[in-house]
């Protein structure tokens, strides 16, 4: 389809994982779909790149497993913590079926794969550097979006608009929808440090006297998530960079010889953590999914995986009505929310419990080093117990299966 066209059956706003999966699924089903991505490429660092077993299943169902496996990635089959200097196993994917691991994959590589697959279908129209700036309405119905492209502004009319434009959704604001904010006690500083061959092999977290840090093994470097109290980023950045460097070395002494690789504050990105959820994910002609409908805490790395599950559920319910012509009844949009809201609520409740019972207490703690209570340590000695969080975060509830569109040619 040509970018000159100003009419489409479905307009998907946002070329992240949810938007790209939804666009691909609808195109496979023969629906004319336009995906708007405001950036010129997918090369933005510090995006969620933890691909859970639930998403691996979707990739299999799309017939893209071989292409996905060829992407650069690091597979993680268990997670550990170092609590008060003592190693503690926490989560174990080993033995779970059909996938006993999660994959750390650069999100831009994953999105490029989805874009290439989408372009195999004539009804798939991906417009890079085209951002939706507002909604078009007629008689109380959303009928499209206003778009800012490289050649200027234009109106794109659509029978259905799906907002996949993230936790700072432009369309959510344009629709006048307000999410309930459940709060978070922390923000996260993201940065990289070089990794050596004799470093630990695992992906793990470190908890010790007022500090928390997670190290993600990306083979040739560590992706570091350094937790600070909510709003504490500004105060930390007002201090010399050496304060952060020393904090990292104190938590992970094996990194002390390369802490100066953090050359400046501009190499440190801040993720403002929030958990929120819209009471209503839809209006006539408009559906919101993924972070636009429910922002997730980074706990468990579930954000992109829940968003992709949303996209599959939406495609399963929308492909038929969109092929049929005419307006999409809002009751169909409500079915998507009814399907996906329960698993989102459960995961958010678990995240809030962990924030309140664990993270808040650790960030406020001084004096004696933290420790895992004896009974809990005993329970975590059993792999079956460590499978519980692996199943919740890795596979989730109400796992979606692709039900629309033809199977991909071999």
């Amino acid at each position: 389809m040509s970018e000159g066209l100003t009419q489409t059956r479905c307009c998907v706003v946002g070329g992240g994982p949810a938007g790209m999966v939804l666009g691909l699924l609808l195109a496979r089903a023969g629906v004319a779909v336009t995906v708007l991505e405001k950036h010129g490429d997918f090369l933005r660092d510090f995006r969620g790149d933890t691909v859970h077993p639930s998403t691996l299943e979707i990739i299999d169902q799309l017939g893209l497993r071989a292409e996905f496996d060829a992407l650069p990635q690091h597979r993680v089959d268990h997670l550990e913590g170092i609590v008060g200097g003592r190693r503690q196993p926490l989560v174990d994917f080993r033995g779970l079926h059909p996938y006993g691991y999660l994959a750390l994959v650069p999100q831009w590589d994953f999105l490029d794969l989805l874009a290439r697959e989408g372009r195999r279908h004539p009804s798939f129209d991906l417009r890079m550097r085209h951002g939706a700036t507002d909604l078009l309405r007629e008689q109380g119905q959303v009928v499209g979006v206003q778009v800012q492209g490289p050649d200027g502004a234009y109106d794109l009319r659509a029978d259905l608009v799906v907002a996949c434009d993230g936790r700072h959704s432009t369309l959510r604001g344009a629709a006048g929808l307000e999410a309930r904010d459940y709060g978070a006690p922390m923000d996260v500083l993201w940065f990289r440090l070089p990794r050596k061959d004799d470093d630990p092999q695992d992906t793990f977290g470190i908890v010790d006297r007022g500090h928390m840090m997670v190290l993600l093994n990306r083979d040739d470097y560590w992706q570091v998530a350094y937790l600070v109290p909510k709003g504490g980023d500004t105060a930390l950045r007002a201090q010399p960079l050496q304060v952060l460097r020393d904090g990292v070395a104190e938590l992970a002494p094996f990194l002390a010889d390369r802490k100066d690789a953090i050359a400046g504050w501009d190499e440190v990105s801040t993720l403002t953590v929030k958990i929120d959820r819209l009471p209503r994910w839809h209006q006539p002609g408009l559906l919101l999914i993924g972070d636009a409908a429910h922002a997730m805490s980074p706990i468990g790395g579930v954000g992109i995986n829940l968003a992709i599950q949303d996209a599959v559920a939406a495609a399963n319910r929308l492909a038929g009505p969109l092929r049929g012509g005419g307006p999409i009844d809002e009751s169909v949009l409500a079915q998507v929310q009814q399907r996906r809201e329960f698993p989102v609520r459960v995961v958010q409740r678990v995240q809030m419990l962990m924030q309140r019972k664990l993270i808040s207490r650790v960030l406020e703690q001084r004096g004696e080093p933290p420790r895992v209570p004896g009974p809990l340590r005993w329970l975590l000695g059993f792999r079956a117990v460590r499978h519980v969080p692996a199943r919740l975060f890795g596979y989730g509830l109400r796992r979606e299966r692709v039900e629309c569109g033809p199977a991909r040619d071999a």
Side-chain angles (χ1 to χ4, degrees):
M1 296 179 67
S2 167
E3 290 188 359
L5 295 179
T6 56
Q7 176 77 41
T8 188
R9 187 74 171 119
C10 180
C11 174
V12 176
V13 177
M20 294 300 293
V21 168
L22 178 59
L24 170 58
L25 288 173
L26 292 179
R28 288 171 80 246
V31 175
V33 56
T34 298
V35 180
L36 302 178
E37 169 52 49
K38 65 182 179 181
H39 296 96
D41 55 44
F42 300 120
L43 290 172
R44 286 175 300 288
D45 211 347
F46 307 120
R47 301 179 68 167
D49 52 11
T50 307
V51 177
H52 284 51
S54 61
T55 299
L56 295 174
E57 288 188 299
I58 300 302
I59 292 168
D60 246 351
Q61 293 159 20
L62 289 171
L64 294 174
R65 181 58 188 276
E67 291 91 334
F68 179 84
D69 285 349
L71 299 178
Q73 60 188 269
H74 181 83
R75 295 181 177 182
V76 177
D77 59 17
H78 68 284
L79 299 170
E80 295 187 340
I82 299 176
V83 183
R86 186 173 180 180
R87 187 172 293 272
Q88 175 62 58
L90 299 171
V91 181
D92 207 321
F93 295 93
R94 291 170 292 191
L96 298 183
H97 297 285
Y99 301 101
Y101 65 90
L102 54 83
L104 301 179
V105 180
Q107 191 177 116
W108 53 82
D109 288 331
F110 182 38
L111 295 176
D112 280 335
L113 169 61
L114 296 173
R116 288 195 301 271
E117 180 65 13
R119 293 187 180 105
R120 295 180 64 252
H121 303 276
S123 61
F124 181 82
D125 177 17
L126 173 60
R127 303 185 185 184
M128 306 297 290
R129 294 193 295 159
H130 289 250
T133 58
D134 205 349
L135 293 167
L136 301 176
R137 292 183 183 271
E138 291 180 0
Q139 299 178 342
Q141 172 97 11
V142 172
V143 295
V145 292
Q146 295 177 7
V147 183
Q148 181 64 49
D151 298 322
Y154 64 96
D155 290 349
L156 176 64
R157 297 182 66 86
D159 297 297
L160 176 65
V161 174
V162 183
C164 306
D165 52 345
R167 64 182 58 204
H168 304 296
S169 171
T170 297
L171 296 193
R172 181 168 70 182
L177 296 172
E178 293 187 8
R180 180 178 177 183
D181 191 343
Y182 296 97
M186 77 290 194
D187 291 323
V188 179
L189 304 183
W190 289 97
F191 51 93
R192 294 181 179 186
L193 283 174
R195 187 176 174 279
K196 297 181 178 180
D197 291 340
D198 58 352
D199 282 352
Q201 296 298 310
D202 297 329
T203 286
F204 59 98
I206 306 172
V207 179
D208 208 342
R209 280 178 283 215
H211 298 286
M212 295 186 71
M213 183 170 71
V214 177
L215 298 176
L216 304 178
N217 181 353
R218 302 306 302 269
D219 292 329
D220 57 343
Y221 68 90
W222 291 105
Q223 182 73 64
V224 184
Y226 188 90
L227 275 66
V228 296
K230 173 63 67 175
D233 172 58
T234 301
L236 182 58
R237 288 177 183 270
Q239 301 183 61
L241 183 61
Q242 197 63 33
V243 174
L244 174 63
R245 293 169 174 163
D246 291 343
V248 170
E250 182 179 356
L251 286 170
F254 72 91
L255 294 175
D257 63 345
R258 70 206 85 156
K259 64 182 182 181
D260 290 344
I262 311 172
W265 282 113
D266 58 343
E267 295 184 2
V268 180
S269 298
T270 301
L271 170 63
T272 301
V273 177
K274 66 188 304 184
I275 298 178
D276 68 22
R277 188 174 65 250
L278 287 175
R280 188 180 185 92
W281 302 9
H282 52 86
Q283 291 180 347
L286 173 68
L287 173 67
L288 298 93
I289 63 173
D291 278 3
H294 49 79
M296 311 299 293
S297 167
I299 293 172
V302 295
I304 70 168
N305 301 279
L306 280 171
I308 288 173
Q309 295 283 304
D310 286 359
V312 175
N316 288 342
R317 283 153 182 78
L318 293 171
L322 284 168
R323 278 196 303 256
I328 305 302
D329 193 279
E330 193 178 2
S331 64
V332 179
L333 308 182
Q335 290 174 17
V336 178
Q337 178 176 353
Q338 290 164 6
R339 171 72 182 177
R340 296 302 308 154
E341 189 169 19
F342 172 70
V344 168
R345 282 177 177 269
V346 171
V347 173
Q348 286 185 330
R349 283 183 181 274
V350 173
Q351 290 181 329
M352 288 186 282
L353 180 65
M354 294 178 69
Q355 288 181 166
R356 185 173 65 253
K357 297 293 187 180
L358 173 61
I359 295 176
S360 290
R361 293 181 179 181
V362 168
L363 294 178
E364 295 169 358
Q365 187 178 32
R366 298 294 184 268
E368 292 296 318
R371 64 183 181 85
V372 178
L376 179 58
R377 177 178 287 278
W378 179 77
L379 285 172
L380 288 171
F382 297 94
R383 180 175 289 183
V385 174
R386 302 196 301 274
H387 275 172
V388 174
R391 289 185 184 279
L392 175 63
F393 289 113
Y395 283 97
L397 306 173
R398 289 185 179 168
R399 285 149 62 182
E400 304 297 338
R401 181 174 180 82
V402 175
E403 298 173 354
C404 62
R408 183 173 183 263
D409 293 336

